[in-house]
Amino acid sequence: MRRKLSELNMILLTYSRLSHLLRMSGSKASIFRNGTEMKHGAGCCVQLKRFQGMQSNGSINKKGLQDRQKQQMARGLPKQKPIRDVKQVIVVASGKGGVGKSTTAVNLALGLMAIDKSKSVGLLDADIYGPSIPKLMNLKGNPELNDDNRMIPLINYGVPCMSMGFLVPDTSPIVWRGLMVMSAIERLLRQVEWGSLDYLVVDMPPGTGDVQLSITQNIPIAGAVIVSTPQDVALLDARRGAEMFRKLNVPVLGLVQNMSVFQCPNCHHHTHIFGSNGAKQLAETISVKFLGDVPLHLNIRETSDKGQPIVISSPDSPEAEAYRKVASAVIQNLEELTR
């Protein structure tokens, strides 16, 4: 029988998970203190002496050391496990906040459905501290639980959505430390009943921190879309974001240049407020695809604030067409990767 998941229940579940992790880490720490740590300490001394001897003889095998370091680092990484019934995961990221990433993620998801109505698309808001999907998708309320205690996404415009914003009041700040955030991300990834999805679009938080690392290491990702304005300051962080995904072996599907140009509603004069073609030039520099331009337009802002994304509310507008072109380029690049 379905039942409402209240804010209190979510907090209790999160704290329960946190307590479990702390108990596990505490027991592991005692094991290390009881013996393993001492053995490792003795081994380190032996290795240090050997290293000093090799150094004095000038015969250090640098490649061997690097190989051993990679092996030790790999042991600590979690094994990737697909999300149940989800075929492909697309993450939408930006190195900097305020570049229109969430708006792009929402319209990308709707654009994917508009291009092929037979495809099912879900939307996951992974921005724990600043969830935007509830506002952009005009969704409110707490998700219900099914018989397996899995959260059932809220649906609008045919897109199932999940966000931390459904679990806390609109005006309540989420003041959590890293471990609790990781616990919430784990629940959003593993404890949601998405049903059968062709694409799951993940709205990532800005930056290159713990959440990005946790998601990319825990689930297989088909590709990443990087959103940036043409401004130099935003492009610096966009490049960092692209390099992060490359280091984590996540394909970068391309760059979206958001707020590329402003057209005066009166005289129709074009003004490049944030610069011209910066993201396009960056894409060429780092050898990734350029997915397209999205203009700085009043209609995009107004429809987003109303919770009526422009791909749905004004499908024939040039702005909606810009998002559909981005979605088409994403599909094309995904197909190229799977050939």
Side-chain angles (χ1 to χ4, degrees):
M1 181 178 180
R2 296 180 176 178
R3 56 190 182 278
K4 291 287 184 179
L5 178 65
S6 66
E7 176 189 359
L8 178 60
N9 285 338
M10 180 58 188
I11 294 173
L12 290 174
L13 286 168
T14 305
Y15 271 95
S16 175
R17 174 68 175 163
L18 175 61
S19 300
H20 176 66
L21 291 172
L22 289 175
R23 285 197 299 271
M24 290 181 63
S25 62
S27 62
K28 290 180 181 178
S30 63
I31 293 172
F32 291 150
R33 285 194 295 269
N34 289 337
T36 310
E37 184 178 73
M38 294 177 63
K39 290 180 182 179
H40 284 176
C44 288
C45 292
V46 173
Q47 291 176 3
L48 179 58
K49 290 179 181 178
R50 289 177 179 173
F51 177 82
Q52 290 172 340
M54 292 169 65
Q55 188 178 36
S56 61
N57 295 330
S59 58
I60 302 175
N61 187 344
K62 292 184 179 179
K63 187 176 184 304
L65 286 173
Q66 291 174 353
D67 290 342
R68 285 196 294 274
Q69 288 173 351
K70 289 180 180 179
Q71 290 173 2
Q72 290 173 356
M73 290 178 66
R75 290 174 188 168
L77 295 178
K79 291 184 178 179
Q80 288 186 335
K81 182 181 177 182
I83 300 175
R84 189 170 73 178
D85 297 327
V86 174
K87 293 180 181 178
Q88 291 184 304
V89 176
I90 302 168
V91 297
V92 180
S94 65
K96 181 178 291 295
V99 297
K101 168 186 55 62
S102 296
T103 303
T104 301
V106 166
N107 284 285
L108 171 62
L110 293 167
L112 292 170
M113 289 184 60
I115 291 172
D116 188 346
K117 291 181 172 55
S118 68
K119 299 295 185 182
S120 54
V121 183
L123 188 57
L124 171 61
D125 189 350
D127 195 344
I128 300 298
Y129 295 118
S132 301
I133 297 305
K135 177 70 173 177
L136 293 170
M137 291 293 286
N138 195 26
L139 286 168
K140 290 184 179 180
N142 301 126
E144 297 178 343
L145 294 178
N146 65 8
D147 293 335
D148 297 327
N149 281 333
R150 296 171 68 87
M151 293 184 289
I152 300 174
L154 304 186
I155 301 176
N156 199 9
Y157 310 119
V159 178
C161 303
M162 182 53 63
S163 170
M164 183 58 68
F166 300 148
L167 307 171
V168 296
D170 293 343
T171 58
S172 295
I174 299 176
V175 188
W176 288 354
R177 293 189 182 274
L179 191 57
M180 294 184 66
V181 173
M182 294 304 101
S183 176
I185 287 293
E186 177 71 15
R187 184 163 178 80
L188 291 175
L189 288 175
R190 303 295 180 194
Q191 298 299 318
V192 176
E193 190 62 57
W194 289 107
S196 179
L197 292 180
D198 293 291
Y199 304 108
L200 176 63
V201 177
V202 181
D203 179 21
M204 301 280 272
T208 55
D210 289 343
V211 173
Q212 289 85 348
L213 189 63
S214 179
I215 290 176
T216 52
Q217 289 181 342
N218 275 281
I219 61 173
I221 296 174
V225 173
I226 309 294
V227 181
S228 179
T229 64
Q231 189 176 6
D232 289 345
V233 173
L235 293 170
L236 286 172
D237 291 328
R239 182 166 188 168
R240 293 187 184 101
E243 293 300 332
M244 177 197 70
F245 285 116
R246 280 179 165 173
K247 288 183 178 181
L248 295 170
N249 296 319
V250 174
V252 178
L253 298 176
L255 268 69
V256 176
Q257 183 165 254
N258 198 28
M259 310 182 200
S260 59
V261 64
F262 172 74
Q263 178 178 307
C264 176
N266 296 319
C267 67
H268 305 292
H269 176 71
H270 285 188
T271 303
H272 297 278
I273 295 175
F274 297 106
S276 176
N277 290 326
K280 189 173 185 179
Q281 292 169 3
L282 176 61
E284 294 175 358
T285 301
I286 62 177
S287 300
V288 300
K289 300 288 183 64
F290 179 68
L291 299 176
D293 291 292
V294 177
L296 177 62
H297 201 283
L298 184 63
N299 286 347
I300 297 176
R301 197 275 300 167
E302 288 181 338
T303 56
S304 297
D305 286 348
K306 293 177 182 177
Q308 301 170 354
I310 199 160
V311 170
I312 291 293
S313 58
S314 301
D316 297 327
S317 66
E319 298 77 45
E321 178 62 22
Y323 283 117
R324 286 195 296 270
K325 286 182 178 179
V326 170
S328 179
V330 167
I331 293 172
Q332 181 180 349
N333 292 348
L334 284 172
E335 290 174 349
E336 291 177 0
L337 287 172
T338 55
R339 285 174 187 168

